[in-house]
Amino acid sequence: MSDFREALKTIQPSSVRSGVGLADFRPVAWDQIGGLEDVKLKLKQSIEWPIKFPEAFVRMGLARPKGILLYGPSGCAKTTLVKAAATSCHCSFLSVSGADLFSPYVGDSEKILSQVFRQARANAPAIVFLDEIDSILGSRSVSKTGRGVQERVLSVLLNELDGVGLKLTERRGNKAELENDSREQTENDRELEFQEVFNKDVVVVAATNRPDMLDDALLRPGRFDKIIYIPPPDRKGKFSILKICTEKIPVDPDVSLEDIAARANLFSGADLENLCKEAALLALQENKVEATPVKQKHFEKSLEIVKPSLTNEELEFYEKMFRNRE
């Protein structure tokens, strides 16, 4: 058995060789993401539960969303949340960006996107992650250049979203079954067919910080029918993020992370991580040979150096859009 385990480390499945978009990343647990408890629950319900408990969804007559759109300010863990969902489901992760898709050859971008979905179906269960989808696809209502490559890629994505979860090949049967089409299906046959139709185990997740740039056809039910707002961390979430970021940093017991979280106004999760790194560097500057613990004064100085990336106008824009969708 040990020989087989070693062989699994070296033999690569043929379905992932030269695969477009297939990505490997360090596993991310849900508890490694501070705050955002409501968002985590929504993602578990939309991605994790249908893959882990498909029978329960069939029994309740529920269908999982075909596409999930995460929108919100930059640096608020949209990509990390998707990686955590892929880790918890133990599924394949295909990440696609504009650099992966766009090609100088006519028709090549559409072909690459179709290949991504073929790879996802071959390696199901799988998550297809479209990062910065606003840079990949534009809105046809604001396009002034006619039918460009973005419009053709959008058309391919819409067709794939309509096809994911549907039976792609006809069911094969013996000659007697094919000749006797009028024969009434048994209960097991109907249940099996429903499972084949429902349980394709491919979910499309997209992230953007410009949801106003997306085409309306993407946001209708049946495509990206689950739209989730990823807000900046609140005070409790900031404290949780600071605790996670300082787990591997020697912090003086007198440091008050709650006070730092209260003073970190308009800080995103990425800003808070940068804040902790800057404080550790300041402590290292004092004694490069023997690193001293990070003290409160280092965090105070770090708050003066590191500036927040969010603005009140930006948050008002997202809050207004979030209210309009409720």
Side-chain angles (χ1 to χ4, degrees):
M1 196 61 194
S2 61
D3 297 328
F4 277 105
R5 290 196 181 99
E6 289 300 318
L8 282 171
K9 297 177 183 179
T10 57
I11 303 300
Q12 190 179 29
S14 59
S15 60
V16 302
R17 291 173 190 163
S18 67
V20 179
L22 280 167
D24 192 13
F25 59 90
R26 189 170 65 179
V28 179
W30 288 113
D31 55 8
Q32 291 179 263
I33 304 173
L36 300 175
E37 298 302 327
D38 293 340
V39 173
K40 292 178 187 176
L41 178 60
K42 290 178 182 178
L43 283 175
K44 288 178 183 178
Q45 292 172 342
S46 304
I47 301 176
E48 184 178 338
W49 292 3
I51 292 177
K52 289 187 174 181
F53 315 109
E55 299 86 358
F57 272 67
V58 173
R59 186 173 63 250
M60 298 301 295
L62 295 173
R64 65 152 178 259
K66 290 182 182 179
I68 302 166
L69 177 66
L70 309 180
Y71 76 96
S74 299
C76 292
K78 292 187 290 292
T79 303
T80 309
L81 284 165
V82 181
K83 290 181 178 179
T87 302
S88 65
C89 298
H90 304 286
C91 62
S92 305
F93 185 75
L94 292 87
S95 179
V96 183
S97 64
D100 299 321
L101 283 183
F102 293 123
S103 168
Y105 303 105
V106 176
D108 206 27
S109 300
E110 301 92 299
K111 182 179 178 182
I112 293 171
L113 184 58
S114 297
Q115 187 177 348
V116 168
F117 279 90
R118 284 198 300 272
Q119 289 284 345
R121 288 189 283 267
N123 295 279
I127 292 176
V128 178
F129 180 49
L130 304 174
D131 198 9
E132 299 294 341
I133 190 174
D134 54 285
S135 65
I136 300 174
L137 310 171
S139 175
R140 289 173 290 190
S141 60
V142 298
S143 176
K144 299 180 180 179
T145 58
R147 297 186 60 82
V149 62
Q150 283 191 327
E151 212 166 318
R152 296 196 301 270
V153 171
L154 173 62
S155 177
V156 172
L157 179 60
L158 294 177
N159 289 332
E160 291 290 351
L161 283 172
D162 291 338
V164 167
L166 297 179
K167 192 163 51 177
L168 300 178
T169 58
E170 294 183 359
R171 294 186 60 193
R172 294 178 175 86
N174 57 37
K175 185 176 180 180
E177 289 175 340
L178 293 175
E179 290 176 351
N180 191 15
D181 290 336
S182 61
R183 182 176 62 86
E184 186 177 351
Q185 285 183 315
T186 64
E187 186 66 28
N188 289 336
D189 288 337
R190 285 196 295 269
E191 184 177 352
L192 177 61
E193 183 173 2
F194 186 67
Q195 284 285 354
E196 287 178 353
V197 171
F198 172 77
N199 195 17
K200 275 297 175 184
D201 287 345
V202 175
V203 59
V204 183
V205 185
T208 180
N209 53 9
R210 288 299 306 273
D212 56 315
M213 297 293 292
L214 298 180
D215 195 271
D216 294 336
L218 278 171
L219 306 180
R220 74 161 178 79
R223 286 168 180 167
F224 283 110
D225 43 11
K226 188 74 173 179
I227 301 175
I228 303 175
Y229 173 52
I230 312 296
D234 55 11
R235 182 170 177 175
K236 184 178 178 181
K238 290 174 184 176
F239 175 64
S240 178
I241 293 171
L242 287 171
K243 285 178 64 178
I244 294 171
C245 292
T246 55
E247 283 180 352
K248 296 182 180 180
I249 298 176
V251 178
D252 191 271
D254 295 334
V255 172
S256 174
L257 294 180
E258 291 184 353
D259 178 61
I260 297 167
R263 295 174 58 186
N265 189 30
L266 296 177
F267 273 64
S268 67
D271 295 333
L272 292 171
E273 185 179 4
N274 195 25
L275 178 75
C276 295
K277 290 179 180 178
E278 185 66 32
L281 283 173
L282 291 171
L284 189 62
Q285 286 178 7
E286 292 186 355
N287 193 341
K288 298 181 180 63
V289 179
E290 296 180 4
T292 56
V294 182
K295 299 180 180 178
Q296 183 74 21
K297 64 177 182 179
H298 299 131
F299 279 102
E300 300 276 352
K301 191 172 182 181
S302 181
L303 280 169
E304 298 175 3
I305 298 173
V306 178
K307 301 301 179 183
S309 60
L310 303 178
T311 63
N312 288 316
E313 293 78 11
E314 187 179 7
L315 295 183
E316 288 175 6
F317 165 76
Y318 288 113
E319 291 290 343
K320 182 179 179 182
M321 183 167 292
F322 178 68
R323 288 194 298 269
N324 291 339
R325 293 197 172 277
E326 288 186 329

